[in-house]
Amino acid sequence: MPVSVREFLTLLEALKSGVIEPSIDDFYQLARMTLVKDEQYFDRFDQVFGAYFNGIEQIIALQPDIPLDWLEKKLQRVLTDEEKAALKKLGGPEALQKRLEVLMKEQKEWHGGGKKWIGAGGSSPFGHSGYHPEGIRIGGESAGNRTAIKVWETREFKDYDSDLALGTRNIKLALRRLRRFAREGSHLELDLDKTIHSTAANAGMLDIQMRPERHNQVKVLLLMDVGGSMDDHIQRIAELFSAAKTEFKHLEHYYFHNCVYENLWQSNRRRRDQVTKTQDIINKYGPEYKLIFVGDATMSPYEILSPNGSVEYNNPEAGAIWVNRLIDHFPHFAWLNPEPESVWQYRQSIDIMQKLMKDRMYPVTLNGLESAMRQLSK
Amino acid sequence: MAQTKSRFDGSQTYVATDDLKLAVNAAITLQRPLLIKGEPGTGKTMLAEEVAAALKMPLLQWHIKSTTKAQQGLYEYDAVSRLRDSQLGDEKVNDIRNYIVKGVLWQAFEANEPTVLLIDEIDKADIEFPNDLLREIDRMEFYVYETRELIKAKHRPLVIITSNNEKELPDAFLRRCFFHYISFPDAGTMQSIVDVHHPNIKQDLLDAALKSFYQIRALPGLKKKPSTSELIDWLKLLLAEDIPAQALYSSDEKVVVPPLHGALLKNEQDVHLFERLVMMNRNHR
C-alpha cells in the first residue's frame, strides 16, 4: 500500500486539529481518507485496520476470563424501536470496563437474551448477537446492527482490489499505455502558439506555422489461441478482447489453435471453410502493426518444432517457422500468456515459445500487460 | 467579511452519509483539496454545489475536457486580439494587462471571501494535467510571466475535485488530497435520497420501485448499471404518468417488465438482456 510520510503527517495534523470526535469509527474514516488514495487499496486497509484493532479489542475482552458457555446463543430477543431508544449508554469505555468487572464478580452462570448479564442475543452491553447502543462484543458474530465498532469487518471494498481479478477496467488502463497520439499525416492545422512565437521573433511580421492533425495511429494485429487447453481462460481473454476493441482505431484479429501455421481464421464457426493464409496476412499488414499473440503456449513440443506436428491436420512446415516469419515481418511483437507465470518453467512448450519470442512473453496480470505494452511501444 | 459556517451537515436537497460529511469537514478544517470518486450518478458534482450552498460560499466551476490545459485555469494571454488591436492602432495595445484573461483559479484566489472551487472530471484531461496544478493547489499562488506579478490567494478556496476513474492520477497529486469514494447507497440511504426529491410519493409505489431497481442492478452482465440519478428520473416519470404500484408487480406473482424501464436501462443490449431474463423467468413458472 503506497503511503508517504507526508500523508502520515497530514493524518497527525488532522487528529491534532480535532476535526473528529475521539471515536474509532471516525478515526477509521479519517485514516482511510488521508492515507489511501485509491479504492483498490480500501480492502487491504480494512484488513490491516481490522487486524490491528481486533488485537486491542481482544486485550480488553480477554482480561476477564469469561466461560464460553455463557456466550452460547439460545434465544434472540426482539426489541421494538421504543425499547431500543430506552436503552441507556453506560458512558464511554471506562464505565463499560468497570461494569464488566462488577458483573464478572457477580455472574455465576449462563444468561441469554437478557438485558443485564454477559450473554448472547439480548440487550445487555456485554456479549454478542444482541442490540445495545454502546457495548463490548465478546465472542460470536455481530447481529448486523452496525452500532458495534465494526464497519471494516464487512470488507465491502473487496471487489476493487486489483490483485484479486484482472477486470476490464484494469485491462483498459494498461492498454492505454499503447495508445499514443502520434502526429503524422497530411492534414494540417494552424499551430497558434508557434505562430505567435515566431511572429514575435520575426519582429511582428506574420510567420504562420502549421502542424499535422492529431490522430490515434496505433495499429494492432491480435492473434488468439482458441480451443483445447485455452478453454479455462476464455472468459479472461474475452474481457481482454472487449477492452481492446474500444482502444484502437485499427485492430485486426485472427484465431489459431495452439500454434500458428499456414492458415488463420477470423470466425470460429466457419474455421473449416473460411481461412486466411498467414502469408497473405504478412503481405497485407505493414510492419507498423503491433503484433500481439494471446495463448497459453501449452502443447506438445512437436506442435511447434516439427512438420506434421499439428494435432488437427498435417502441416507441411513447422509452427516455429511461421512464428519466425511473423515476428521478422512485425518488429513490434509480444505474447500474452494467461497461465500463471509460476508454472511456465514446468512446461517445455512454453520454454520453447519464450525463446522463439525472444523473451517477450508476459503473463495476463496488470504488471504483465504493462511490461508488454512498454515493449510494444518501444 | 461575512460570517461563514465552517461545518457541513448535509442539506435539504442532498443526503450526505456520515463518512462523506467527515471528509468534507476535514477538508475544510485542514484546507486540503478533496478528491471524490465513485460510480457515475452518485452525486459527485452535486456535492460541490450543495457544500457551497450550505456554507453560503460562492461556487466556481471548472469543467475539464480532454483538450483542457492547466494554464487555462490560471490565465490566458489573448495574443490574437492584441495583434489585431496593434494593426488597428488601438490605445489598449500598450498595456499587456488588457489581454490577460483570468481563469477560474485566479478568480478564486482574488475573491474577497472564501470560495468553493469545483474541478469537475479531472480524469478527462491529459495525464500531465494534475501535475501542472500541483504548485498552484499546494501553495495557492502562481506567477504571471507576461506582467511579472505573483498572484496569491487572499483566502484558500475549498477545492473539490471529481474523477470518474478513466485515468489514474499521479501519486504526487494524490498525496496532497483527501480521498473519498462514494459507494452506491444502500436501500436505507436510497429511501432518504428519494424522500428529498419526491416528498409526496406513495409508500407502496416507492417500495415496489426500489425493489425492482435493486433487482435490475443485481442482474449479472449489465453493461451499465442504473444509478441514483436514473432512479430519481424514473420515479419522476412514474409519478408524471400516474402509474399505480400494482403495475410494478402483477397480481399473479409473475415477474413483469416495469413500465418506462427505458429511463433505467440506457443500452439496447441491456434492455434485450433484461427482457430475455424476464421471459425465461415466466417460462419457468
Side-chain angles (χ1 to χ4, degrees), chain A residues 109-378:
Chain A
E109 56 184 7
W110 175 86
H111 291 273
K115 55 188 177 185
K116 177 180 176 188
W117 302 102
I118 303 166
S123 60
S124 136
F126 307 102
H128 66 86
S129 305
Y131 177 89
H132 191 273
E134 175 190 79
I136 294 183
R137 202 184 82 194
I138 302 170
E141 302 274 308
S142 163
N145 292 318
R146 290 172 74 103
T147 44
I149 342 166
K150 284 287 145 205
V151 194
W152 54 88
E153 261 196 1
T154 53
R155 294 187 60 187
E156 46 186 291
F157 291 98
K158 212 167 161 181
D159 295 347
Y160 299 108
D161 196 331
S162 66
D163 275 3
L164 291 180
L166 186 61
T168 323
R169 195 194 110 206
N170 290 340
I171 296 175
K172 273 190 178 161
L173 281 175
L175 286 171
R176 285 220 164 93
R177 291 277 155 96
L178 188 59
R179 189 178 66 175
R180 281 180 313 168
F181 285 109
R183 290 176 177 272
E184 199 181 82
S186 53
H187 293 284
L188 291 176
E189 59 180 18
L190 178 68
D191 189 339
L192 192 57
D193 290 342
K194 257 194 179 167
T195 306
I196 292 164
H197 271 276
S198 59
T199 305
N202 218 0
M205 293 293 283
L206 198 58
D207 182 12
I208 289 177
Q209 300 285 319
M210 305 293 277
R211 66 179 163 194
E213 215 175 336
R214 165 194 277 232
H215 56 240
N216 183 354
Q217 64 130 36
V218 176
K219 299 170 180 174
V220 174
L221 180 62
L222 195 63
L223 301 184
M224 286 193 287
D225 185 1
V226 283
S229 50
M230 277 296 285
D231 283 348
D232 305 343
H233 309 295
I234 287 299
Q235 204 203 331
R236 238 177 347 150
I237 298 309
E239 273 178 11
L240 179 69
F241 184 56
S242 76
K245 230 162 61 181
T246 55
E247 263 334 283
F248 310 110
K249 269 271 155 64
H250 300 277
L251 174 84
E252 304 294 336
H253 71 278
Y254 291 91
Y255 296 106
F256 62 92
H257 182 63
N258 280 359
C259 186
V260 280
Y261 304 110
E262 68 273 15
N263 289 328
L264 299 169
W265 58 94
Q266 272 195 301
S267 158
N268 268 318
R269 240 184 311 159
R270 292 143 118 202
R271 56 184 287 192
R272 300 279 162 224
D273 46 308
Q274 280 204 348
V275 293
T276 312
K277 290 207 180 323
T278 311
Q279 189 59 51
D280 288 351
I281 287 167
I282 295 175
N283 295 341
K284 185 174 171 189
Y285 302 109
E288 75 276 12
Y289 269 82
K290 301 185 191 288
L291 177 66
I292 305 176
F293 294 95
V294 181
D296 58 1
T298 301
M299 60 197 118
S300 130
Y302 302 113
E303 291 178 58
I304 305 176
L305 294 176
S306 53
N308 299 327
S310 165
V311 283
E312 292 192 317
Y313 68 112
N314 289 331
N315 51 316
E317 287 177 293
I321 295 175
W322 282 109
V323 171
N324 276 325
R325 275 185 195 143
L326 280 165
I327 64 179
D328 282 348
H329 181 70
F330 301 102
H332 306 284
F333 62 88
W335 184 297
L336 296 176
N337 194 333
E339 288 284 330
E341 209 171 353
S342 51
V343 307
W344 290 7
Q345 49 175 319
Y346 305 112
R347 306 247 170 96
Q348 203 187 349
S349 61
I350 293 185
D351 193 44
I352 295 168
M353 196 54 90
Q354 177 74 295
K355 288 205 177 92
L356 277 177
M357 284 284 129
K358 302 179 177 130
D359 287 333
R360 297 196 197 167
M361 188 185 277
Y362 304 94
V364 185
T365 61
L366 203 52
N367 282 340
L369 278 176
E370 274 189 20
S371 323
M373 296 303 137
R374 209 171 301 131
Q375 173 65 44
L376 285 173
S377 49
K378 260 183 197 163

Side-chain angles (χ1 to χ4, degrees), chain B residues 28-72:
Chain B
I28 295 171
T29 315
L30 293 163
Q31 308 196 317
R32 295 284 149 89
L34 177 62
L35 173 66
I36 302 279
K37 277 205 227 172
E39 270 187 58
T42 38
K44 297 189 290 291
T45 309
M46 283 261 293
L47 174 71
E49 293 167 13
E50 294 299 332
V51 169
L55 303 183
K56 303 208 170 53
M57 283 154 59
L59 173 70
L60 291 166
Q61 304 192 35
W62 187 13
H63 299 282
I64 308 298
K65 295 185 213 157
S66 64
T67 50
T68 308
K69 294 261 162 15
Q71 184 66 33
Q72 292 168 352

Side-chain angles (χ1 to χ4, degrees), chain A residues 76-87:
Chain A
Q76 173 78 49
R77 195 180 160 103
V78 181
L79 299 173
T80 64
D81 283 348
E82 292 88 65
E83 279 177 310
K84 281 184 183 179
L87 286 173

